[in-house]
Amino acid sequence: MPRNRQQIPKAEREAAMVEHAWELFAAKGYKATSVAEVGRAAGVAANAVRWYFPTKDDLFAAAIGRFFAQVRARVEADPEAGGDPQRELVALLVGMEPYRGLHREAYERIVESKALGDTYARMQEWLEERLLSAIATRLPEGADVGLVADTAHVLFEGLLVSVRRSDRATGDLVELLTEALVAAAAAR
């Protein structure tokens, strides 16, 4: 006999809602997806979704955060990346590339939504940490690491949200980025 909703642990119910939300957001976008649709897909009422996620932005942030965590876990476990921060950085950006439109929609809302802002801050922190790890040994002594991180932050935002298709591989863009940041830091 199937379990009723009361018997399903809260974390499991929440994870199912987030999974269905991600599928709908990925297929239709943020604006075209309603909380009621997510509820129907998850087999719960829209009010039940709102009990877990008071706003649509909270649900969107949870879905993006879960997707980021999944891609990040795959990247960090990938033996080809081998713990190399630059390879991990490239692999994560490549893994997230098909969803640039969603990132753009989220990015447009981060000023209004604390949940989305917090989710993006965690993603940017991971990206910046990988970049700084990749270039740390190449930076001159006394380099303004904060300026390098701020510059990287702006450039990663562009890579995450740009809907422009590049004929360049993401790895080539990241390599140029790292070289440019090291050269700029050395020139200061």
Side-chain angles (χ1 to χ4, degrees), residues 68-82:
F68 170 73
Q70 290 172 335
V71 174
R72 185 178 125 190
R74 277 195 307 271
V75 164
E76 290 174 346
D78 183 357
E80 286 187 33

Side-chain angles (χ1 to χ4, degrees), residues 32-50:
T33 300
S34 72
V35 172
E37 286 178 288
V38 173
R40 281 191 298 276
V44 299
N47 286 342
V49 177
R50 291 204 186 275

Side-chain angles (χ1 to χ4, degrees), residues 14-23 26 61-78 88 91-96 99 103 119 123 126:
E14 185 175 327
M17 286 181 227
V18 171
E19 179 64 30
H20 288 289
W22 175 255
E23 290 169 5
I64 288 175
R66 183 174 182 272
F67 174 69
F68 170 73
Q70 290 172 335
V71 174
R72 185 178 125 190
R74 277 195 307 271
V75 164
E76 290 174 346
D78 183 357
E88 289 179 351
L92 183 110
L93 291 169
V94 168
M96 296 180 81
Y99 303 100
H103 293 292
T119 297
M123 289 181 1
W126 188 91

Side-chain angles (χ1 to χ4, degrees), residues 79-125:
E80 286 187 33
D84 178 292
Q86 188 158 330
R87 285 185 181 180
E88 289 179 351
L89 176 63
V90 169
L92 183 110
L93 291 169
V94 168
M96 296 180 81
E97 192 171 299
Y99 303 100
R100 285 181 175 174
L102 280 181
H103 293 292
R104 176 179 290 273
E105 287 185 287
Y107 187 74
E108 290 170 354
R109 302 204 48 73
I110 62 175
V111 172
E112 300 168 24
S113 170
K114 180 175 177 359
L116 285 166
D118 291 347
T119 297
Y120 265 81
R122 286 189 299 277
M123 289 181 1
Q124 285 292 343
E125 184 179 303

Side-chain angles (χ1 to χ4, degrees), residues 136-153:
T137 60
R138 297 168 34 199
L139 286 174
E141 188 169 325
D144 186 346
V145 177
L147 180 60
V148 171
D150 289 344
T151 304
H153 179 81

